[in-house]
Amino acid sequence: MSFVEYGDTIKDGDTAIVFLGHESMFPVKVQHGTVTQTKYGVIRHSTDLIGKKYGSKVTCSKGGWVFILHPTPELWTMNLPHRTQILYSTDISIITMMLELKPGSIVCESGTGSGSLSHALIRTVAPTGHLYTVEFHQQRAEKAREEFREHGVEHLVTVTNQDVCKNGFGVSNIADAVFLDIPSPWEAIGHAKSALKAEGGRICSFSPCIEQVQRTCLAMEEYGFTEINTLEILLRVYNVRTISLQIPDLGKAAEDNSSTGFDSSSPSHQDSLCANLQQGTVQFKSGVPLREVVGHTGYLTFATKS
C-alpha cells in the first residue's frame, strides 16, 4: 500500500480508512489478530479486512456495515492525528497550482507539522520528484518519518530536524518551489532563495496574520523576488435542493372579467380572484448557501525568483 500507488487488496500493515459516513470516518493500521471497535460492532482485521478489496462493504459484529477505503492525501487530511494546526484541501489545491508543481518537481517545505500538505505534495511530484521537508520540533520530525515509511512514500521525501530560519533547507539551487508555514517566514526568505533553482522558482508563504504578510512581502522584495501577490480562499458551500413556489397571478383573469362588465365588488368576483391566486405551485432545483460559512484560514503569499 502506498499513498501514491493504488493497491487492489488490503494487506497486513496497510493504513486503511474506515468509512461510516461522510461525517464519520477514521484511519486504522491493518494488523493480523487485531480488532477495531465501531458503533456498528467489531471489525476483525484477519478475517474482515486482510485479503479483501479496497472499497469493500464490511459487516460488523452487530450487523451494521462500513466501507474500507484506500487512503489518499485528501482522506488523510480529514482523518490524520493532529500534532499541529493543518492545511486543508481548499488551500492545498491553490498552493499546488500556484507553485506550478508536477511529476518530477523538487519542493522544499517548512514546517512539516502533521504532514497534511506533505502527503499532497508527495503525490503531486511522484514518481520522479522529491520533497525536502524541515521540522523544528524533534518529536514531530520523527513521527513524520515514521508515517512516511508506513505510507510507502519514504523514498520520495527527506525529513530534516533543524531550524530553517538559521540553517536553511540543506539543499542549494535545486528546488522548483518552496513552501513556508512558520511563525516568522521573513527570516527564512534568504534560505528559500538559496534553495531555489537559478531562475524562475516559485515560493509560497502561509500566514494567519496580515502583519506577518507585510513583513514577508518586504523581505521578498529585498531579496529580489518578483510577481509578489497575496490571496486568501473563502469557501462558500451551497446545498442543492428542490423548492416549491406558487405560480404568480399576472392579472389576466381580472382584466378579462372587467372587459365583460362584471362588478368587481361582488362576492363572486372576489372569490374568483382568490382562486386565481391559488392556482398552483411549481417545483425546481435551487442552490441555497449554508448558514455557517467557513471563514479565514490564512493568507497565501506567492512570488517568483527573478
Side-chain angles (χ1 to χ4, degrees):
M1 186 280 303
S2 170
F3 274 57
V4 174
E5 298 175 357
Y6 180 79
D8 287 330
T9 58
I10 305 169
K11 299 181 177 62
D12 185 24
D14 281 5
T15 298
I17 304 297
V18 180
F19 180 89
L20 293 83
H22 288 290
E23 302 298 327
S24 180
M25 63 183 95
F26 60 89
V28 62
K29 184 174 181 179
V30 180
Q31 293 177 311
H32 272 293
T34 302
V35 298
T36 297
Q37 295 282 352
T38 74
K39 63 181 180 180
Y40 300 126
V42 172
I43 301 173
R44 295 174 176 82
H45 294 201
S46 299
T47 57
D48 297 333
L49 298 184
I50 297 176
K52 300 290 182 63
K53 286 190 174 183
Y54 278 107
S56 296
K57 182 178 178 180
V58 174
T59 302
C60 304
S61 61
K62 293 182 181 179
W65 48 266
V66 299
F67 288 104
I68 308 300
L69 306 181
H70 192 283
T72 65
E74 290 77 16
L75 288 175
W76 185 246
T77 291
M78 297 171 63
N79 296 281
L80 58 78
H82 285 233
R83 300 183 289 273
T84 60
Q85 291 290 335
I86 68 169
L87 290 175
Y88 290 91
S89 297
T90 305
D91 287 317
I92 291 173
S93 61
I94 196 72
I95 291 168
T96 303
M97 181 188 74
M98 294 293 286
L99 289 182
E100 303 174 2
L101 302 182
K102 59 187 181 300
S105 295
I106 305 296
V107 186
C108 292
E109 174 198 26
S110 183
T112 312
S114 300
S116 174
L117 176 65
S118 303
H119 282 80
L121 295 177
I122 292 169
R123 196 261 309 271
T124 302
V125 304
T128 56
H130 200 84
L131 171 66
Y132 294 90
T133 183
V134 178
E135 173 56 51
F136 175 78
H137 193 272
Q138 182 178 356
Q139 285 74 25
R140 288 201 293 262
E142 292 173 353
K143 186 60 179 177
R145 288 193 193 97
E146 179 184 340
E147 285 180 350
F148 293 141
R149 183 169 56 254
E150 291 178 352
H151 298 166
V153 296
E154 72 276 9
H155 61 292
L156 296 170
V157 57
T158 299
V159 181
T160 305
N161 173 220
Q162 63 187 27
D163 185 351
V164 70
C165 296
K166 295 180 179 179
N167 307 114
F169 293 93
V171 296
S172 299
N173 303 319
I174 65 169
D176 297 289
V178 169
F179 177 80
L180 298 174
D181 183 6
I182 55 178
S184 52
W186 55 90
E187 296 181 359
I189 298 300
H191 294 296
K193 183 177 181 180
S194 298
L196 286 168
K197 60 187 181 181
E199 186 177 353
R202 294 279 287 167
I203 184 174
C204 174
S205 174
F206 177 92
S207 297
C209 302
I210 195 65
E211 291 81 6
Q212 294 170 301
V213 174
Q214 291 170 333
R215 295 189 65 175
T216 302
C217 289
L218 290 174
M220 287 178 175
E221 289 181 346
E222 180 182 346
Y223 281 95
F225 284 89
T226 60
E227 300 178 347
I228 302 172
N229 64 87
T230 299
L231 54 86
E232 65 175 337
I233 308 300
L234 299 178
L235 180 65
R236 191 177 189 190
V237 179
Y238 281 76
N239 279 336
V240 177
R241 63 188 186 189
T242 301
I243 64 174
S244 298
L245 289 179
Q246 189 174 26
I247 298 175
D249 178 15
L250 302 179
K252 183 176 185 301
E255 292 174 0
D256 292 343
N257 289 342
S258 62
S259 65
T260 57
F262 287 149
D263 183 4
S264 61
S265 63
S266 68
S268 60
H269 180 71
Q270 292 176 358
D271 292 341
S272 175
L273 288 177
C274 291
N276 288 333
L277 290 174
Q278 299 174 356
Q279 56 188 306
T281 60
V282 62
Q283 292 185 335
F284 61 94
K285 295 291 184 181
S286 177
V288 181
L290 300 179
R291 292 185 177 180
E292 295 184 359
V293 180
V294 177
H296 171 77
T297 57
Y299 299 103
L300 294 168
T301 300
F302 296 92
T304 303
K305 183 177 179 180
S306 139

